[in-house]
Amino acid sequence: MTAAQPPIDQDVLVGLRQGDDRSLEQLFRDRYPGLLQEAASQLDDPAGAPRVVERAFLRVWDEREKFETRQSLDSFLRTAVHDSATRERKRLATLHRLEAGAHVNVAHHSTATPPTADQAWSHLKAALHPDAPEAHAAARAQASTLQRHDAAE
């Protein structure tokens, strides 16, 4: 578990409930480092932590209208990170079983540094607004990076 974080700003909660991207971005930037650490502690391979945190924020955005208090939003975020980490562990376990059945041995532990909050926010924003032109550029850049990492492995 990570250290206690400051309370979520009431204006962020109000803006989020109204669908304001800037409020989501502020919440993301405030919480990303702590939630990334929390997610990494729940995974065998901490390289999946950014994906876990991103999924948690996508859930927050999808359910933004239901948060009545800052505490309920904070609790939801932590639960969403935990649930997403559980799904990530199951996904990797399934992948390992499939590889074992196919007699394939692929190393999955990445030594790459986790994305910065700016990089992670760009990716999350592209997922929230897939039709925006900048989303296509961000998606292409991320796909290129992933292909280079896969080739290196």
Side-chain angles (χ1 to χ4, degrees):
M1 180 78 82
T2 60
Q5 296 188 13
I8 295 170
D9 186 273
Q10 184 65 29
D11 292 336
V12 168
L13 175 64
V14 171
L16 179 68
R17 292 192 66 202
Q18 294 173 350
D20 179 26
D21 284 9
R22 291 173 304 211
S23 294
L24 179 67
E25 181 177 5
Q26 183 177 347
L27 177 66
F28 180 83
R29 290 181 182 281
D30 289 347
R31 300 296 175 171
Y32 179 74
L35 292 174
L36 188 66
Q37 182 182 5
E38 194 168 321
S41 73
Q42 297 179 36
L43 299 171
D44 294 331
D45 181 2
R51 182 175 32 251
V52 165
V53 174
E54 180 181 320
R55 283 188 201 130
F57 275 94
L58 287 172
R59 284 187 58 201
V60 164
W61 184 252
D62 289 343
E63 300 185 34
R64 65 188 173 271
E65 294 173 355
K66 80 176 201 175
F67 302 115
E68 297 292 329
T69 65
R70 297 175 296 175
Q71 293 79 11
S72 68
L73 174 56
D74 185 58
S75 177
F76 182 90
L77 256 174
R78 291 184 182 281
T79 300
V81 165
H82 174 75
D83 293 348
S84 187
T86 300
R87 282 192 300 280
E88 180 72 5
R89 285 192 312 270
K90 288 179 182 177
R91 183 187 75 81
L92 290 175
T94 300
L95 179 63
H96 291 302
R97 280 194 305 274
L98 291 173
E99 289 171 350
H103 304 294
V104 175
N105 188 9
V106 180
H108 292 283
H109 292 281
S110 174
T111 58
T113 58
T116 64
D118 288 337
Q119 294 166 327
W121 172 251
S122 293
H123 189 253
L124 180 60
K125 188 174 178 183
L128 292 172
H129 305 291
D131 295 332
E134 59 272 9
H136 297 295
R140 283 193 303 275
Q142 183 181 18
S144 175
T145 299
L146 290 174
Q147 288 173 346
R148 284 195 305 273
H149 287 293
D150 288 345
E153 285 182 4

